[in-house]
Structures are given as structure tokens and as C-alpha cells.
Amino acid sequence: MVDVAKRAGVSRATASLVIRDAPGPSAASRERVRAAAAELGYRPDVAAQALRRRQSRLLGVMFSAHDPFHADLIESIYAATEDAGYNVVLSAVVPSRDEHRAFDALTASRCAAVILLGASEAGATDFGSQLPVVEIGRPPKGTQFDAVHTADDEGARLAVDHLVSLGHRDIVHIDGGDRPGAAERRAGYLEAMRSHGLEQQARVLPGDYTEQSGSAAARTLVDSGELPTAVVAGNDQCAVGVLDELRRSGVDVPGQVSIVGYDDSRLARLAHVDLTTVRQDAEQLVRLAVTSVVERLDGGRELDPEPRVFSLSPHLVVRGSTAPARLTRTAG
């Protein structure tokens, strides 16, 4: 900062005001300081600024490195946090790095608050005691922090209703295990099947939102010798696993089996996937989450013990992986 001030011919205080975009300096002084900063390659020390303010203006984001929908959420998070005057610190959950290590890394980075993307139910209950937390993706259970989620039971019903409207009756659901929204999606599927008088045909296969679980479930269906006419997958990744395994087995999608995913992630929009899916509004989910946590930090809600919960309605996006049901159900 001293070097910038000398180069611009102003005081250090004036240079600091310009760098912080604070009122006071003239237009000419601002131009000189910015030019000097550019020439010297000066960048503000974010850590030092945080120590002076006693708040970092950093929002941590804990996410799964293997979830394409989290990539969509993160893209929206950058835009929303920048508008709110915060920067983002990312911490990934991978097989060799569990949720607690990922969360601890964010607290060690002096994040003012944390946004959880798809935390496990067991892990989520442990977070939130150290700093403000908001979760995207799961209705709160046993937690005392804010949450933003999609009405996943409603989304599963949309998927089943769409397939029934195409004449499908033998519709299988591949579960998401203990992942966020899985219980609600499973309940929505079962309720929709009952509402159409198809409770006897309802089948739920195990899964965990991964492509591998979708492939394994599809292999089970193919090996059984009798395919359903449609599959509602727990999410888009799982649906892609189903799609790939069925095509490798010579099964026509959607001619013999229709597939519906969930999320409308960038994966679903790939031309060779062309997946019918239930859309979650990533931009709206993020906007509500960032607004919620910023209000706790800057708007006087930091001591409010009552968590706020926002639930958004999903929408069905019809693409090329669904078609009217055919009579034959045998594996190809």
C-alpha cells in the first residue's frame, strides 16, 4: 500500500480509501492510485483486512466433488456472494476427505459462515454450533440452522405422473439411500404410484445417487429377464448409469424403457444424454441460501435461534429419454 501511495503521489490513507472504494478521494486521485496499483501488481491482503474488520467476508461452501448438480450450484453461488460483498472458499468432500475435515478446513480459513451442499444427515446435525450455517438440499432434521430445499416428494410425483400419461404402468424407482432428498423422492414415488392405482407394481431398488449405483440397478433389471417400461432414478447421475447399462445391453431407450432423472444438472443437458428430468432451480436455491446467511451476518439475525426453511417447487423438463410405453418388457 505504501508503494502504491508513493507511485501515485498521494498519502497512504488516500490510497487505502481508493483501494477500498470508499468516499473521499477525488476522481484524479482515484485514477492515479488505480493506475499505480495496476503497474505494481498490487492486490489487497484479504486476510489482513479480515483481521482488521474482525469478520472475513468469506463464505465457505462444502460440496461433493463428484456431484454435477453441485457444480451448477457453485456457479450460482459465486454470482450471489459477489453481489452481497462476500468471497467464496470451497472445500470438497471426496472419498479420502470426509465432511468433518472439509468443514473444519472452512472454519480454519476464518469463514464467516458456511453453505452446505448435500451434507449427510448424520454430518449435518454436527454443524452449525461454531458459526452460521445454511444447508441446500435437505429439509432440516435435528438441526438448528437455515435450510433451502426443493419439494422432492412433489418432484417424484411429477416424474411418475409424466410416465403414467405416456401409458407406463410398470415403473421402477432407484433410491438415493441416505443422500439429501432421497427419502422424500422415495415417498413421492410411492404416493404417486398409489394415487394411480399402481401400488402393486411399485418397486424400489437400492442406490446412492452415483452413476455406479444406476448401472448396478440396471444390470439387476436386465438379468431378471423382464424389464419395467420406465425407471425413475434418484438423480441425474444415477439415471446416466441406468441409460449407459441399458444401451450396452442392447435395450432401446426410450423405445423399450423410458428414464427420468432428477436435478436437471448439466449432465442431463448433454446432447448424447438428452435426459427427461425433474428440474431444481439452482439459481433460486442459492439466492435464498445466500440471502439467509448474509442476513444472519449483516442484518442482525445472528442471534435468532429459530431456523428458517424455504421450500421450492420443482418442474419437469421433458427430453428424449421418455416415450409412450410399449407392450414388450423383455430384455433385449
Side-chain angles (χ1 to χ4, degrees):
M1 185 71 77
V2 171
D3 293 338
V4 170
K6 286 181 178 178
R7 176 69 67 92
V10 300
S11 68
R12 186 187 185 286
T14 297
S16 177
L17 289 171
V18 173
I19 294 298
R20 291 186 287 114
D21 201 24
S26 66
S29 293
R30 290 181 186 278
E31 185 176 347
R32 292 201 305 273
V33 170
R34 288 168 180 157
E39 292 168 7
L40 294 173
Y42 172 80
R43 294 292 184 274
D45 188 332
V46 175
Q49 290 177 338
L51 288 173
R52 284 196 299 270
R53 290 192 302 259
R54 297 190 179 183
Q55 195 204 91
S56 66
R57 308 298 291 181
L58 297 176
L59 293 183
V61 178
M62 190 183 84
F63 69 103
S64 170
H66 301 294
D67 193 324
F69 186 59
H70 287 187
D72 294 342
L73 291 170
I74 289 169
E75 184 175 331
S76 296
I77 284 172
Y78 274 108
T81 52
E82 184 175 347
D83 290 343
Y86 282 81
N87 290 313
V88 174
V89 177
L90 300 178
S91 188
V93 176
V94 296
S96 60
R97 189 173 189 257
D98 65 17
E99 292 181 347
H100 286 85
R101 288 179 62 191
F103 188 86
D104 288 345
L106 296 174
T107 60
S109 298
R110 297 181 179 271
C111 290
V114 172
I115 300 172
L116 303 177
L117 304 185
S120 68
E121 186 171 340
T125 57
D126 295 336
F127 305 135
S129 61
Q130 303 175 53
L131 72 176
V133 169
V134 60
E135 181 176 16
I136 297 178
R138 183 197 300 275
K141 292 181 179 178
T143 61
Q144 288 300 311
F145 47 76
D146 298 343
V148 183
H149 69 100
T150 300
D152 290 307
D153 55 344
E154 180 184 339
R157 286 195 294 269
L158 289 175
V160 173
D161 289 349
H162 168 65
L163 292 168
V164 170
S165 74
L166 293 174
H168 294 277
R169 296 296 180 267
D170 190 358
I171 304 168
V172 168
H173 176 56
I174 302 176
D175 194 20
D178 64 352
R179 302 306 300 159
E184 290 75 22
R185 295 173 197 182
R186 179 171 59 251
Y189 159 79
L190 293 172
E191 174 56 35
M193 293 293 282
R194 282 193 295 270
S195 70
H196 289 290
L198 301 173
E199 60 269 27
Q200 296 302 316
Q201 286 98 313
R203 283 190 287 166
V204 178
L205 299 182
D208 60 7
Y209 282 178
T210 63
E211 189 172 338
Q212 291 78 9
S213 71
S215 178
R219 186 75 255 161
T220 297
L221 293 172
V222 170
D223 289 345
S224 72
E226 188 172 291
L227 292 170
T229 65
V231 173
V232 177
N235 71 344
D236 290 344
Q237 268 190 294
C238 177
V240 168
V242 175
L243 180 66
D244 180 66
E245 186 65 35
L246 291 181
R247 285 177 173 171
R248 288 175 184 272
S249 300
V251 177
D252 180 22
V253 177
Q256 287 176 266
V257 179
S258 289
I259 303 173
V260 181
Y262 202 108
D263 286 339
D264 193 27
S265 65
R266 60 191 65 197
L267 192 62
R269 301 190 289 270
L270 294 174
H272 68 282
V273 175
D274 198 28
L275 183 66
T276 295
T277 185
V278 177
R279 181 176 186 269
Q280 298 196 74
D281 190 334
E283 186 175 341
Q284 179 74 340
L285 288 167
V286 165
R287 187 187 67 79
L288 289 169
V290 171
T291 298
S292 176
V293 79
V294 168
E295 285 182 356
R296 285 201 176 272
L297 294 171
D298 299 342
R301 291 193 62 243
E302 65 274 14
L303 299 179
D304 184 356
E306 291 300 319
R308 290 198 300 186
V309 180
F310 303 91
S311 181
L312 302 182
S313 294
H315 304 281
L316 185 72
V317 179
V318 179
R319 296 193 179 96
S321 67
T322 54
R326 290 176 59 178
L327 294 179
T328 178
R329 296 188 298 137
T330 57

